[in-house]
Amino acid sequence: MTPPAGDKISISQGKLTVPDRPVIPFIRGDGTGRDIWASSERVLDAAVEKAYGGQKKIAWFEVFAGQAAKDKFDTWLPDETVEAFREYLVGIKGPLTTPVGGGIRSLNVALRQMLDLFVCLRPVQYFEGVPSPVKHPEKVNMIIFRENTEDIYAGIDYAPGSDDANKILAFFEKEFPKEFEKIRFGTREKAAEFWKQVGAPEPTDVMVGVGLKPVSRSGSVRLIHSAIAYAIKNQRKSVTLVHKGNIMKFTEGAFRDWGYEIAKSYFGAEEIDGGPWCQIPMGKPGGGIIIKDAIADITLQQVLTRPEDFDVIATLNLNGDYLSDALAAQVGGIGIAPGGNINYITGHAVFEATHGTAPKYADKDMVNPGSVILSGEMMFRYMGWNEAADLIIKGLNGAIASKRVTYDFARLMEGATKIKCSEFGQNVIDHM
């Protein structure tokens, strides 16, 4: 993997310095990723050319992960790929195959953890004309800050019946006997009693999977601080802390409490009507922004029934996974949902397609490239290339309004013409 001629993006005191010809590592992706990247790269290059008239240009640096890396280097995630993202700070990737069997559980999660990309940033907005299952998708305009490194996605879980799981159960039984009783089938006796009741000749082995859900103050502070800082910078109206603290009081509940603490101590927020909701006073940066909280299950209802009540959302990993995909469905589906994984402290960021590889459509030039195109738009805004980002939004709006779209939209849009993935990319360029 040899980098092209170009310069490195750097960071100093939290501020990125982006040269006119930055080297940007990219992973083409597996399955449909090949078609999507070919179309998206043309759109991104065209936006930069039109915005800056040749003064700026991306030096694309192809690196490998997933099936392509396995075939080429006999490893799913080469060290050189991780090192490229680490060295050049900002990159982009298509969808990747998740390896079956042992080793890395998810290449996406592995990259996030190796580079400590603690924010999963998922903007959710509606483009006029996109088919939607809800009556007023235009009311959905949210930015989700999903914590990326902790919660159950830390990957600390053990298989039922394994030596490790049984060691943890034995430790728990010895040190926390009262809590151990809450594990419904944590002993052979309890398992045997159940199988006897139902009359099934099942073995009475202890088969309990065990997982750990770490939620730290440090991890919560950096996520929530980033969300509030984003809301201030982008003149948003509120930040909602989404949690399940009514049940998980010392993990999800702590996340909520730390959120209010951060709002007050770092941003000068003051309680409204005795709290816990609070607001940054007028006269301070972000004056008027409300910091509030909502239980996760109620939030999933209210983003459907009252989407205008939500703006910036800060939440833990699992809640964020549910929320971002549910909201993507409201505005047209995961096929056009972008994502970014960011460490605002080190400057590292990897922008990505949020959908899967869809292997049955691979190399057929038919899928929607919108997710990677919009991830590129996010990347340009992160780099400060807002003019290029604005052109992408303009082009995408125009392409969708023309009703010349890929099959996923065409089958649901009245009077639409179905075009190829590559043709849709050109349609976006034509409407910039």
Side-chain angles (χ1 to χ4, degrees):
M1 301 183 201
T2 305
D7 301 302
K8 295 178 185 177
I9 296 173
S10 60
I11 187 169
S12 178
Q13 296 181 324
K15 186 174 176 58
L16 285 183
T17 298
V18 181
D20 288 342
R21 189 175 173 82
V23 175
I24 302 291
F26 75 94
I27 298 170
R28 200 173 295 273
D30 295 323
T32 56
R34 294 182 289 274
D35 287 340
I36 289 168
W37 179 256
S39 181
S40 300
E41 184 179 358
R42 288 175 56 231
V43 171
L44 301 181
D45 284 342
V48 172
E49 174 62 31
K50 182 160 187 177
Y52 307 113
Q55 292 182 356
K56 299 179 188 289
K57 186 177 175 64
I58 300 292
W60 296 111
F61 176 22
E62 183 167 15
V63 294
F64 297 88
Q67 191 63 55
K70 184 66 175 171
D71 294 343
K72 194 175 181 75
F73 303 108
D74 196 30
T75 176
W76 291 99
L77 184 59
D79 293 341
E80 294 85 352
T81 295
V82 178
E83 193 51 44
F85 283 115
R86 184 174 285 123
E87 183 176 353
Y88 293 100
L89 290 191
V90 178
I92 188 168
K93 56 177 280 299
L96 293 175
T97 300
T98 297
V100 177
I104 296 174
R105 302 182 189 205
S106 164
L107 294 167
N108 296 322
V109 172
L111 262 177
R112 293 167 193 166
Q113 291 180 341
M114 288 175 181
L115 297 172
D116 196 24
L117 305 174
F118 61 86
V119 170
C120 178
L121 187 65
R122 293 285 294 271
V124 188
Q125 61 179 316
Y126 179 65
F127 290 90
E128 188 68 36
V130 172
S132 167
V134 299
K135 288 183 178 179
H136 294 288
E138 73 280 357
K139 292 183 179 180
V140 178
N141 185 6
M142 304 175 205
I143 305 289
I144 300 173
F145 277 72
R146 168 188 169 195
E147 204 291 318
N148 231 356
T149 62
E150 297 193 315
D151 198 2
I152 59 173
Y153 281 66
I156 309 170
D157 61 340
Y158 302 96
S162 66
D163 289 344
D164 289 337
N166 289 336
K167 282 179 189 175
I168 293 168
L169 290 171
F171 168 79
F172 212 63
E173 183 176 20
K174 179 183 176 184
E175 299 295 335
F176 303 97
K178 185 178 176 182
E179 287 76 13
F180 180 77
E181 283 299 312
K182 296 179 182 179
I183 301 175
R184 185 68 66 195
F185 299 106
T187 65
R188 293 180 69 95
E189 290 75 21
K190 288 181 178 179
E193 182 182 354
F194 167 74
W195 294 117
K196 183 178 179 182
Q197 281 180 341
V198 298
E202 292 278 350
T204 59
D205 297 345
V206 176
M207 298 294 286
V208 179
V210 180
L212 190 63
K213 178 187 175 78
V215 177
S216 69
R217 185 175 186 277
S218 301
S220 299
V221 166
R222 65 183 187 172
L223 184 280
I224 297 166
H225 188 284
S226 297
I228 298 175
Y230 179 96
I232 293 171
K233 181 180 179 182
N234 293 278
Q235 300 179 314
R236 309 293 289 210
K237 64 187 180 186
S238 69
V239 177
T240 304
L241 308 166
V242 174
H243 61 93
K244 194 64 180 159
N246 58 328
I247 303 299
M248 292 171 276
K249 299 183 185 302
F250 304 116
T251 50
E252 304 252 347
F255 176 84
R256 166 197 182 267
D257 295 344
W258 288 326
Y260 284 124
E261 179 189 318
I262 292 157
K264 295 171 190 173
S265 60
Y266 286 95
F267 298 97
E270 297 174 353
E271 290 186 354
I272 304 171
D273 299 328
W277 286 25
C278 55
Q279 186 172 29
I280 300 175
M282 301 308 292
K284 289 182 177 289
I289 292 175
I290 293 172
I291 293 87
K292 54 185 177 176
D293 75 279
I295 302 295
D297 44 351
I298 298 169
T299 301
L300 284 162
Q301 293 179 45
Q302 292 182 339
V303 294
L304 275 171
T305 59
R306 290 154 47 185
E308 63 273 15
D309 288 356
F310 297 88
D311 194 350
V312 176
I313 291 173
T315 190
L316 290 168
N317 215 327
L318 182 62
N319 296 331
D321 201 356
Y322 294 150
L323 259 176
S324 54
D325 282 9
L327 281 166
Q330 289 181 227
V331 297
I334 205 79
I336 61 164
N341 302 284
I342 304 169
N343 183 320
Y344 286 99
I345 300 166
T346 66
H348 289 102
V350 178
F351 298 87
E352 65 181 358
T354 58
H355 55 73
T357 58
K360 72 176 181 177
Y361 296 119
D363 304 315
K364 293 183 179 179
D365 194 19
M366 63 183 292
V367 295
N368 192 329
S371 181
V372 171
I373 290 172
L374 285 171
S375 295
E377 182 264 346
M378 287 179 69
M379 180 179 76
F380 286 158
R381 290 203 191 280
Y382 181 71
M383 292 162 56
W385 290 15
N386 292 332
E387 299 84 359
D390 290 343
L391 282 172
I392 291 171
I393 297 297
K394 179 185 175 187
L396 197 58
N397 272 318
I400 293 168
S402 76
K403 293 192 174 183
R404 296 184 65 250
V405 291
T406 48
Y407 83 97
D408 54 320
F409 284 176
R411 64 186 176 182
L412 300 172
M413 291 172 71
E414 191 174 339
T417 300
K418 182 178 76 169
I419 60 176
K420 297 176 180 179
C421 173
S422 55
E423 293 171 331
F424 185 75
Q426 185 60 50
N427 199 17
V428 173
I429 294 169
D430 291 343
H431 284 90
M432 284 182 184

